Amino acid sequence: MKTPTKAGWIIAAVVLAGCSPPPPAVPTAGTESMALRLDRLVDTWEAAPYSPAEEKPFRANRPGWIPTYRQRIASSKQAGKMLEFRHRLARELLWDGQTSAAIGELNGLSAMVGQSTAPERMKESFFRMLRADVSIAFLRLAEQQNCLAGHNPESCIFPIRGAGIHRLQEPSSAAIRVLLKSLAANPEDLGARWLLNLAYMTLGKYPQEVPPEHLIEEKVFQSEHDPGRFRDAAGELGVAAVGLAGGCCVDDFDGDGDLDIVASSWGFRDQLKLFSQNAAGRFDDRTLAAGLAGELGGLNLCHADYDNDGALDILVLRGGWLDGAEQFPNSLLRNLGGGVFDDVTEKAGLLAFSPTQVAAWGDYDNDGWLDLFIGNEANTAGIYDSWLYRNNGDGTFTDRGIASGLASLGFVKGAAWGDYDNDGFVDLYVSRSGAKNLLFHNEGKEGATPGGWGFKEVAASARVEGPVNSFSAWFWDYDNDGRLDLFAAGFDGAGIDGVAGDYLGRPRAAGHPRLYRNRGDGTFDDATSEARLDRVLLVMGANFGDLDNDGYPDLYLGTGAPDYRTLMPNRMFRNDGRGAFQDVTTAGGFGHLQKGHGIAFADVDADGDQDIYAVMGGWYTGDVFPNVFFENPGHGNHWITLRLRGTRANRSAIGARIKVTAREPGGVRQIHALAGTGGSFGSASLQQEIGLGKAEAIEEIEIWWPGQEQRQRLGGLEMDRVYLVEEGVAAPRLVKGGSS
C-alpha cells in the first residue's frame, strides 16, 4: 500500500470535512423487526435471575454480577464465603474493565489473608492464586493507560519496541514485582516467566534487565524470513473500530468498485459497522446510511451474493460461546444495492435460535444457487442440530440437514466447502470441539433420502480427523498441484503456559494445527511436521492469502483465549513454496498481543498486493481493543486480479477453481486458486487476487466454474491488471491496470 503523504491526508481531510455524511437510511420492516427482537432479548438476558451454574470463569458477561457479589459480601457471615465472594467480585471488576477497582479488591484480599489464622500452607495457596490475578490486572491496566488511551500503530505489537513502549510505566513495574514473587515461589511457572519478559518489554528494559534465570532470549522470536514491515494504518484510514471479539468481511458492498469493510463485536449491544471506502482512500462510517441501525452483536460474519442479483449480502452469526444465551438468532442481510441492507432472516426461512459462530456458503447441488451450512454448538443446555439450508432460488431456504445427515454433528467450530476429489461436487469439512473432525463426501443424488442429498462421512478413511479440539478450517491448494488440501487450526486450552513452553523448546503438548496434503486418491497425508506448523497455537480467527505475491498462499492465525493472561502474539506463516512455512511474525509486524478473531486478506487499496484487516477484541466486557489494518509494503512481484461473475454457476463464483499458467525465466509454472472468502473465521474479498511472482507473462488462465464440466480458457491477459471475467464470455473486460 502506498500511504499518502501528510499533506495528502490534510487535503483529504479538508475535502471530506466539507462533505455532508450520507443521510441515515430508513430501516426496512425486516431490519426494524430484528432490531426490536434483539433489544428485547438483551433486556431479558440481562434481567434473568442468576444461577450457580453461571458462576464459572468462562460464561456470558452479565452486568448484574458486580452488584450481586457486593450484596453477598454484605450479607455473608462466614469468613471463608467472604473471601470467596470478594475474590469473585475482584475478577468481575477486572473482566468488566474496572481494573483499578479490581486491584484494590485484590490487595484488600491479600491483607485479609495475611492477617488470618489459617494454616500457612493454605495461605500460600491463596497467595499464589492472588498473585496470578494481581499481575494480569496490572498488565491490563498498563494496556488501558497506554495501548488504549495512547494508541498508536505500534501499540501491543510483539516484540514491543519504539512507540509501543509504555509512557506510563508504573502498572508494568508493579506487575514485574508480583511476577518475580510468583517465580520465586515456582521457577517453573512458564506463564509467569512469559509475562515477566513481556512486562520488561513494555518498559523498554528487555532483554538487558530481565533476571538471567528468567530471560526468554530474543533469538526464539526471530523471524525465519523478512517479508517487509506491514504497518497498522487502521487509525488513519478510519477503520480502527474498538470492540470485543467479532468477525469481518472485506469486499465491495456499495458497488462503486472499491473494497469496503464490515466489522462486528459480539457484545449484546454492540452495533454492526460498515466502513465504506471513499475517493481519498479512507473510510466513512456508513452504518446508519446502510440501514443497519439495531443490528447488534455477531461473533462472526460471512458474505456472498446468495440471490444472484449482483449485490453482496452478509450473514451475521450469533449465540456462539454464550453457553445458555442461544436465543440470539442469526441475521441474513440482503443488499438492496448501493450498500443498503434489509434483514430478511425471517422472510428467507432462516430465523432460528441456536448458538453458532460458523457458516459456509457453497452450491452443493450445482443448481447455480448458493446453499448454506450453519454449524451449531453444544453447551450446558444441550447439543443443537446444525443446518443445511438449500437455496430455493426465490430468496428462501429450506433446511435439509436432517434429511442429508448433516444435523447431529456435535460442537461445531469450523466448516468449509471444497471439491477435494475433483468430481465436480463440493464436499464439506467440519471441525469440532472435543471430538474428531468430520469430512462429508458429496455423493450427489445417488442414495439420498427423500428431500435430502447424499453425503458420506469419510474423515477416518481420508485420515483428516485431527486435531480433536479444532477451530477455523479451510480448503486450499497450498502446494499448487491442482488438488485441494486441508488446514484445521488447533485450540486445546493449553493457555499461555503451553505457548511459552513451545517458544522455549519444551516438549509439545497436543493442540497444534493440522495441515493435510491431498494425495489425489481420496486420502490425505498429515504434512504438519514437514511444513513446520507443529507448534502450540491457540487459534481463533484465521485466514490465508499471499503476502508477497509469490503465488503460494500464506496464513495468518489470530490467537488467544478469553483468559486475560493469554497475551500471546498472533502469528503469520509464509509459504516458502517448497512445502514448509516460515514464521515471519516479528519481522512483518504481525505479532499483535490482543486476541485475534475475524481476519480477512484483501487488496483494499487496489495496488496489487494484499492487505490484512483483523478484529482484535477479546471476550469479556473490559477486553476491548481497536481493530487493525496491516498495509502491505509491496514486494515487486507480479499479480493479476480476477472478478468472477457466474451465469449458470452462482454469481459470486464461490467454488470456482482457477489455474494460471505463467512463463518464468526458468520455464512454465502453474498457480492454483479456489474462489471463496478463505477461512471460516473472517471473510476475505471474493475478487481473486493472485500473485505471479517473477513471471514474465501469462500464457493461459483456466477456470472451472462450479457445476460445469467444461473449463473456460482465457488467453492474452496481461499481468498487473484487474479483469472482469464472466462465465461463458470469451473476452474478459479490463477493469483497470496497475503497477507492482
Side-chain angles (χ1 to χ4, degrees):
M1 173 181 273
K2 282 72 175 176
T3 304
T5 62
K6 183 176 181 181
W9 285 125
I10 294 172
I11 292 170
V14 171
V15 171
L16 291 173
C19 300
S20 300
V26 177
T28 63
T31 303
E32 192 172 54
S33 175
M34 180 60 76
L36 290 172
R37 178 183 286 111
L38 293 173
D39 190 58
R40 287 194 299 266
L41 287 171
V42 174
D43 287 343
T44 301
W45 173 251
E46 291 181 345
Y50 299 96
S51 67
E54 289 183 287
E55 299 187 37
K56 52 190 175 182
F58 179 57
R59 43 92 177 117
N61 301 330
R62 294 279 293 273
W65 275 120
I66 291 173
T68 295
Y69 281 126
R70 291 195 191 280
Q71 292 168 7
R72 292 181 182 179
I73 291 168
S75 60
S76 176
K77 294 181 171 40
Q78 298 179 10
K81 281 293 182 183
M82 171 78 75
L83 288 174
E84 177 188 344
F85 294 148
R86 287 198 65 176
H87 187 218
R88 292 192 176 188
L89 172 61
R91 285 186 168 178
E92 291 292 335
L93 290 167
L94 180 60
W95 294 335
D96 194 52
Q98 301 182 50
T99 313
S100 294
I103 292 171
E105 282 292 333
L106 292 168
N107 286 336
L109 267 174
S110 182
M112 286 179 62
V113 173
Q115 295 167 8
S116 75
T117 58
E120 289 301 316
R121 187 176 62 180
M122 291 180 60
K123 289 165 69 171
E124 177 51 34
S125 176
F126 203 86
F127 282 138
R128 188 181 308 118
M129 179 174 58
L130 286 181
R131 283 194 294 265
D133 287 339
V134 172
S135 61
I136 196 58
F138 275 120
L139 287 174
R140 183 56 186 163
L141 183 62
E143 291 174 334
Q144 290 173 321
Q145 292 183 350
N146 295 276
C147 304
L148 281 165
H151 187 71
N152 66 74
E154 295 184 64
S155 294
C156 276
I157 301 297
F158 179 88
I160 297 172
R161 298 169 179 159
I165 294 174
H166 292 184
R167 183 177 60 86
L168 302 176
Q169 298 197 341
E170 176 50 33
S172 285
S173 297
I176 287 172
R177 293 192 290 270
V178 178
L179 289 165
L180 287 172
K181 290 181 181 179
S182 294
L183 287 164
N186 179 16
E188 288 301 306
D189 186 340
L190 297 183
R193 184 176 174 185
W194 171 271
L195 294 173
L196 179 73
N197 282 262
L198 183 61
Y200 274 107
M201 283 184 193
T202 67
L203 303 180
K205 298 179 179 179
Y206 172 90
Q208 65 274 16
E209 294 192 27
V210 182
E213 66 272 23
H214 302 314
L215 177 65
I216 301 177
E217 296 184 10
E218 290 181 280
K219 65 182 180 181
V220 304
F221 309 129
Q222 290 177 355
S223 288
E224 298 157 3
H225 175 83
D226 186 359
R229 189 79 174 182
F230 285 63
R231 192 176 64 89
D232 177 15
E236 59 196 50
L237 294 177
V239 293
V242 178
L244 300 169
C248 65
C249 302
V250 180
D251 221 311
D252 181 11
F253 292 102
D254 54 12
D256 64 356
D258 296 321
L259 301 188
D260 312 303
I261 295 173
V262 179
S264 68
S265 171
W266 87 264
F268 292 140
R269 298 194 184 277
D270 293 350
Q271 171 68 54
L272 182 73
K273 291 185 177 296
L274 169 62
F275 299 101
S276 178
Q277 188 170 175
N278 58 39
R282 291 170 59 89
F283 291 80
D284 300 319
D285 187 337
R286 290 194 66 255
T287 304
L288 298 181
L292 294 173
E295 291 288 347
L296 307 177
L299 186 56
N300 198 7
L301 308 172
C302 58
H303 71 285
D305 181 4
Y306 80 91
D307 54 359
N308 289 341
D309 66 353
L312 293 172
D313 315 297
I314 301 170
L315 182 68
V316 183
L317 299 163
R318 301 187 180 99
W321 292 1
L322 293 181
D323 199 7
E326 61 279 347
Q327 66 265 41
F328 289 86
N330 303 322
S331 280
L332 177 62
L333 303 175
R334 179 173 179 259
N335 192 333
L336 302 177
V340 176
F341 293 86
D342 176 19
D343 192 314
V344 297
T345 312
E346 191 166 5
K347 187 188 305 182
L350 297 182
L351 183 64
F353 303 89
S354 293
T356 185
Q357 55 84 37
V358 65
W361 295 98
D363 184 5
Y364 73 82
D365 54 2
N366 285 337
D367 65 353
W369 298 93
L370 284 173
D371 310 301
L372 177 64
F373 172 79
I374 297 180
N376 288 316
E377 296 186 352
N379 58 38
T380 55
I383 298 175
Y384 294 84
D385 279 352
S386 295
W387 301 310
L388 176 64
Y389 287 110
R390 182 181 183 272
N391 193 326
N392 298 320
D394 60 359
T396 67
F397 294 81
T398 300
D399 178 25
R400 295 188 174 172
I402 294 176
S404 299
L406 299 180
S408 300
L409 304 183
F411 198 132
V412 178
K413 297 304 294 178
W417 294 101
D419 181 7
Y420 74 90
D421 57 352
N422 291 342
D423 67 353
F425 288 96
V426 291
D427 312 296
L428 179 67
Y429 187 71
V430 175
S431 69
R432 301 192 293 176
S433 176
K436 295 177 180 179
N437 297 335
L438 306 170
L439 175 60
F440 292 95
H441 180 261
N442 191 332
E443 304 275 300
K445 291 183 179 179
E446 300 296 327
T449 58
W453 192 263
F455 289 93
K456 181 181 180 181
E457 206 289 300
V458 296
S461 60
R463 301 187 296 195
V464 292
E465 293 182 299
V468 169
N469 283 304
S470 296
F471 217 115
S472 300
W474 59 70
F475 284 100
W476 61 343
D477 188 355
Y478 81 94
D479 54 1
N480 277 326
D481 66 354
R483 299 189 292 261
L484 290 181
D485 311 301
L486 264 170
F487 177 81
F491 187 90
D492 76 334
I496 194 64
D497 302 277
V499 174
D502 196 54
Y503 271 117
L504 289 166
R506 303 293 177 89
R508 290 190 171 107
H512 60 74
R514 296 290 192 278
L515 176 65
Y516 293 113
R517 185 177 182 273
N518 195 328
R519 293 167 52 93
D521 60 359
T523 67
F524 294 77
D525 286 329
D526 186 341
T528 313
S529 296
E530 176 187 339
R532 303 187 65 245
L533 289 173
D534 53 341
R535 318 189 191 207
V536 179
L537 302 161
L538 274 72
V539 181
M540 298 183 295
N543 219 321
F544 64 92
D546 190 348
L547 287 179
D548 50 8
N549 277 341
D550 66 351
Y552 289 97
D554 315 300
L555 68 158
Y556 188 40
L557 306 179
T559 64
D563 185 358
Y564 276 14
R565 287 172 60 84
T566 51
L567 287 171
M568 59 187 69
N570 297 303
R571 306 282 285 277
M572 180 70 80
F573 293 94
R574 175 184 177 267
N575 188 335
D576 70 359
R578 298 183 297 275
F581 287 80
Q582 302 163 322
D583 189 336
V584 298
T585 301
T586 55
F590 300 111
H592 208 295
L593 288 166
Q594 298 300 314
K595 297 162 178 71
H597 288 91
I599 293 173
F601 285 73
D603 182 11
V604 175
D605 56 352
D607 64 354
D609 48 43
Q610 290 188 312
D611 313 296
I612 301 154
Y613 188 77
V615 176
M616 303 310 300
W619 175 254
Y620 293 115
T621 307
D623 204 4
V624 297
F625 207 82
N627 296 341
V628 298
F629 180 96
F630 290 117
E631 58 178 353
N632 196 315
H635 299 85
N637 288 329
H638 292 292
W639 54 273
I640 189 169
T641 294
L642 305 177
R643 297 178 180 173
L644 304 183
R645 179 183 295 172
T647 51
R648 289 182 296 174
N650 69 88
R651 180 155 177 146
S652 297
I654 289 176
R657 303 280 287 277
I658 303 165
K659 180 173 72 174
V660 180
T661 302
R663 186 172 68 251
E664 296 183 325
V668 174
R669 173 189 175 197
Q670 292 181 346
I671 299 167
H672 293 263
L674 170 66
T677 58
S680 57
F681 207 137
S683 198
S685 169
L686 283 166
Q687 66 178 17
Q688 296 305 295
E689 301 154 353
I690 302 171
L692 303 175
K694 302 301 181 184
E696 296 175 333
I698 298 172
E699 292 199 345
E700 182 185 64
I701 293 181
E702 185 177 328
I703 300 175
W704 184 9
W705 297 90
Q708 309 305 319
E709 293 185 6
Q710 298 298 317
R711 274 62 159 173
Q712 182 173 349
R713 289 177 168 82
L714 308 172
L717 276 66
E718 298 181 54
M719 298 187 295
D720 308 330
R721 300 290 186 268
V722 180
Y723 290 93
L724 173 64
V725 181
E726 190 167 357
E727 182 182 5
V729 177
R733 180 165 66 85
L734 178 65
V735 177
K736 55 185 166 182
S739 59
S740 60

